[in-house]
Every structure is written in C-alpha cells, then in structure tokens.
Amino acid sequence: VVARPVLLGIVGESGSGKTTLARALVLVLGEQHVSHVSADHYHRFDRRQRAQRGLTPLHPDCNHLDILQQHLLHLRAGEPVLKPVYRHRDGSFGPAEYLVPRHFVIVEGLLGLHNPAMRDAYDVRVFLDPPEALRRRWKVLRDCSRRGYTTDQVLEELDRREADAEAFIHPQRRRAEIVIAF
C-alpha cells in the first residue's frame, strides 16, 4: 500500500484506445508498480438490462459514477477498494475484486472526467481523440473478434450511441490536460 499514489485518468469514446494505452503504461511503469482499473466495471446494468432500458453505457445513468468517485478518493488516499467486475465477454457481472493501490493507479473509461470531484481526484487527465473512421474500425475489429458481435451489430450500436457520445463523452475533452489525437 502506497501513502499517496499517482492517479492517471484516461478517457475517450468506446474503441478509442484507452485500454491499449493503459496496458502499455503498465508495461512501461512495471506491473508491480501499477494498479489498473477499467471504469467499465462500474456499469449499473448488464448488457441485457441496458437493452431493455434503451440505455447505452455512455450515459451517466447507466453507470455507478457515485461509487467510482468514492473509489477514486479511496485509491488517491492509498486505501484499497472492493471494486465491481463487468465481463465484456458476455455482458454480465462477476464477483467483486479487492484492489490495492500501488505507486501508480491508472483508471480508464468512458466517463472518468464527467464530474468535478472525479476530475479533481486525478493527477493527470488524458483524453483520447482518434479520427472517427479509425476509432470505428478499431471498435469493429475488437468487438467482432473478442466480444462476439457481427460487423453490422457494431455499426448499428455505434450509430445508436452517437447522441450520448456527443452529450457525455466529447465534452470531457476540454477537461483533460492532455489530448491525444492520431
């Protein structure tokens, strides 16, 4: 346990490279020095429930942002948390995991800069902003190869999420200290 870890927040749209960047940073900084958190684990509803409600994971109401915010504050204070687990493979939840903050805590997700308290928890705030055509290609490749979707399903979902991305994800760009565009 570290007295005061360094918190890095990585935010961007689905398929923008958040997890790839986070994993690269874990390798560079050393796995023994980094705790990595995906904010996707804080989804409020499983995949089936989201479909029934007509919500996308990009909408704040679809996520436990209150719990994520609380966990960020605990991690920043060097305190462990019992974090939820979301399984992308099938869109369900698994048993919670005990997470101890190490020297660096990397939190990556869709809504990490959504409110002032979460923004203030980070030492560094990064927003990933690849060109839309590239992001869509990355998302199709990932979701078809690892999450069992067809190309048409992914493209339909991207279109369905557009309004929420514009309303909730894109405004976070101006809250980041570093914007990475490709």
Side-chain angles (χ1 to χ4, degrees):
V1 177
V2 174
R4 171 61 173 87
V6 175
L7 262 72
L8 168 65
I10 303 172
V11 173
E13 267 200 69
S14 181
S16 64
K18 299 178 300 292
T19 302
T20 301
L21 176 58
R23 287 180 180 156
L25 288 170
V26 169
L27 289 174
V28 168
L29 297 170
E31 211 170 300
Q32 70 278 17
H33 300 295
V34 182
S35 297
H36 175 203
V37 179
S38 170
D40 289 355
H41 292 294
Y42 293 84
H43 287 333
R44 184 181 303 268
F45 306 112
D46 65 25
R47 193 176 291 158
R48 183 185 50 76
Q49 292 168 323
R50 285 195 309 266
Q52 290 170 342
R53 287 171 171 79
L55 286 173
T56 77
L58 284 65
H59 196 289
D61 292 347
C62 199
N63 296 274
H64 287 293
L65 295 182
D66 53 342
I67 297 171
L68 176 58
Q69 176 182 313
Q70 182 184 52
H71 284 183
L72 288 175
L73 297 176
H74 283 292
L75 293 167
R76 182 178 172 87
E79 302 165 355
V81 298
L82 192 60
K83 74 164 198 61
V85 172
Y86 178 78
R87 298 181 191 128
H88 278 289
R89 174 179 27 86
D90 63 4
S92 68
F93 294 102
E97 293 177 348
Y98 189 72
L99 178 75
V100 176
R102 296 189 179 120
H103 186 73
F104 298 98
V105 176
I106 299 173
V107 181
E108 46 102 355
L110 298 166
L111 295 162
L113 306 179
H114 182 69
N115 68 47
M118 290 188 340
R119 289 192 292 271
D120 291 347
Y122 297 111
D123 295 293
V124 181
R125 299 182 302 267
V126 177
F127 188 89
L128 297 183
D129 195 17
E132 184 61 10
L134 180 59
R135 184 187 72 81
R136 288 173 78 90
R137 186 169 357 130
W138 286 345
K139 181 155 175 59
V140 166
L141 287 170
R142 181 198 66 199
D143 288 2
C144 291
S145 66
R146 289 189 240 156
R147 297 183 182 173
Y149 290 102
T150 66
T151 299
D152 287 342
Q153 288 173 318
V154 176
L155 294 174
E156 286 172 18
E157 181 68 8
L158 280 166
D159 292 341
R160 197 171 75 74
R161 291 176 171 201
E162 229 169 87
D164 283 350
E166 197 60 42
F168 306 113
I169 307 303
H170 298 169
Q172 296 177 99
R173 185 184 199 277
R174 69 179 181 271
R175 305 294 189 184
E177 297 158 319
I178 301 169
V179 175
I180 300 176
F182 304 84

